[in-house]
Every structure is written in C-alpha cells, then in structure tokens.
Amino acid sequence: AQKITQTQPGMFVQEKEAVTLDCTYDTSDPSYGLFWYKQPSSGEMIFLIYQGSYDQQNATEGRYSLNFQKARKSANLVISASQLGDSAMYFCAMRESGRYKLSFGAGTTVTVRA
Amino acid sequence: GAGVSQSPSNKVTEKGKDVELRCDPISGHTALYWYRQSLGQGLEFLIYFQGNSAPDKSGLPSDRFSAERTGGSVSTLTIQRTQQEDSAVYLCATSATLGNQPQHFGDGTRLSIL
C-alpha cells in the first residue's frame, strides 16, 4: 500500500502567488516525521521542511510552511510568494519510528510562470 | 561546507558489466542511505548503514546489488551483471543521527545500461 500519496502530478502557479502541494500519508505508527524535498531539473534533492507527528505547531521555513492536519493524515506544503526558481519537482516523504528509510510520494511538478 | 559527494555523475555501460558507484558522506554523518530513482518506480530505498551496525539491506532488488561502507565513511554501491532495468539515478543520502534529522542528498549517479 502507498504510504505517501501526492495526487497532483503537475501544477502551474503565477509568480508571486502562493501554491499548495497536497500530501496524504498512511501509517499506524504514532511517532513519525514528514519531510518535503525539492528536486530542480538539475537533479539534486534539497531538504525544505520537517514536521514531527508530535509537533504542536505547523512547521515554517522562510517561504515554506506546512499545513499539518494530523487527524486527516495530511501534510500539505505551502509555498508563498512563488519565484521562478521554485520551478521543480516536490516530494513529500515520511519516516516512521524505528525505520530508517524515507518513503516518498510520486512527486508534484511545479512550474512558476512569469 | 562539503555536501554529499557522489561519483561518477554519469555512467554508461553495457549490459552484463559490473559497476561501482561511490558516495562520500558529509563529515560526521553516521547514517548513510542509498536510494534509486527511476521513471517507473519513483524513489526507492535500497540500503542503510548506521555506524558499525549491520546494514539494512531490505531494499536491495536482487543479489546482484551489494554495498559496503568502509570505516564508517565512504560507501560503494556495486551492481553486478547489469541489466537494462538497472538504468536509473542512484542517490546517496546521509544524516547526522537517527531520529528525524533530515537526510541530505548527493547529486546522484545517472546510470545508463545499453
């Protein structure tokens, strides 16, 4: 069964606007971590933001914020004030307690238009 | 500061040949992971090393795949008798400790099997 589901294969956003990337996850583990990574066309995977399952507040890192809805098992990434350099593939990933690997979603391609 | 370094960046080889992919971790990172990224399968976990503990090889797709980590530092992923389905980008990631520290990725090795 898929542990991480990203339902949006591709999205277009106008420069300076905000965009929300959806991520839902499936785990019965009460302790887990959720990560978002950015992969530009050059290929490197860049860590963006982390949310722990016990964190009381939504994570924020600069223009990135995470809309964490634990009961719905969703961890949507919000990118505010989009820039052309935000054009990339974005991956949601989960690490469950006692496991080391990250389970990744299929990714969402974001294209920022000028 | 130096990030995760992978070599070669690109490798083209003939079916049936053996290949070795190298990963130099971030200094001080004790955990090291190999992932494979391919069009059909997305990002898949291959193997995990933590310190001197036995590696978690649960993601290796066949016995043609093996990996070692010498002295808790450099890691080599070896694929024997390569097949066309082995064509993918092989990503190495490292993290400082267990728990929910983010994994930092190298730029990957793009492997093409002719």
Side-chain angles (χ1 to χ4, degrees), chain B residues 33 36 40 43-44 52-53 60 62 66 71 74 76-77 86 88 111:
Chain B
Y33 312 76
R36 178 169 72 174
L43 273 149
E44 306 169 273
N52 295 320
S53 301
L60 294 178
S62 77
S66 63
V74 172
T76 303
L77 177 69
D86 300 334
L111 177 64

Side-chain angles (χ1 to χ4, degrees), chain B residues 35-72:
Chain B
Y35 294 87
R36 178 169 72 174
Q37 185 174 24
S38 56
L39 281 175
Q41 301 296 325
L43 273 149
E44 306 169 273
F45 165 78
L46 297 178
I47 189 168
Y48 159 77
F49 295 90
Q50 170 60 36
N52 295 320
S53 301
D56 175 359
K57 305 179 183 180
S58 61
L60 294 178
S62 77
D63 59 8
R64 296 185 297 104
F65 288 72
S66 63
E68 63 177 19
R69 189 178 185 192
T70 53

Side-chain angles (χ1 to χ4, degrees), chain B residues 3-111:
Chain B
V4 178
S5 177
Q6 291 188 245
S7 60
S9 54
N10 284 282
K11 178 72 176 179
V12 181
T13 193
E14 292 180 347
K15 177 182 171 181
K17 300 286 189 183
D18 297 352
V19 295
E20 282 190 355
L21 313 180
R22 177 186 170 105
C23 174
D24 284 88
I26 293 172
S27 178
H29 279 194
T30 57
L32 187 147
Y33 312 76
W34 284 96
Y35 294 87
R36 178 169 72 174
Q37 185 174 24
S38 56
L39 281 175
Q41 301 296 325
L43 273 149
E44 306 169 273
F45 165 78
L46 297 178
I47 189 168
Y48 159 77
F49 295 90
Q50 170 60 36
N52 295 320
S53 301
D56 175 359
K57 305 179 183 180
S58 61
L60 294 178
S62 77
D63 59 8
R64 296 185 297 104
F65 288 72
S66 63
E68 63 177 19
R69 189 178 185 192
T70 53
S73 181
V74 172
S75 178
T76 303
L77 177 69
T78 301
I79 309 173
Q80 296 179 308
R81 305 181 303 281
T82 52
Q83 304 293 313
Q84 287 188 330
E85 62 263 27
D86 300 334
S87 295
V89 176
Y90 289 81
L91 292 162
C92 176
T94 69
S95 65
T97 60
L98 283 178
N100 285 319
Q101 294 296 314
Q103 296 177 20
H104 297 275
F105 285 78
D107 290 347
T109 294
R110 182 173 298 277
L111 177 64

Side-chain angles (χ1 to χ4, degrees), chain A residues 16 22 30 37 66-67 69 76 81 88 90 95 97 100 105 108:
Chain A
K16 299 180 185 177
D22 294 342
Y37 284 86
L66 207 151
N67 183 1
Q69 297 186 47
N76 298 340
Y90 290 81
R95 182 183 180 279
S97 176
Y100 318 116
T108 297

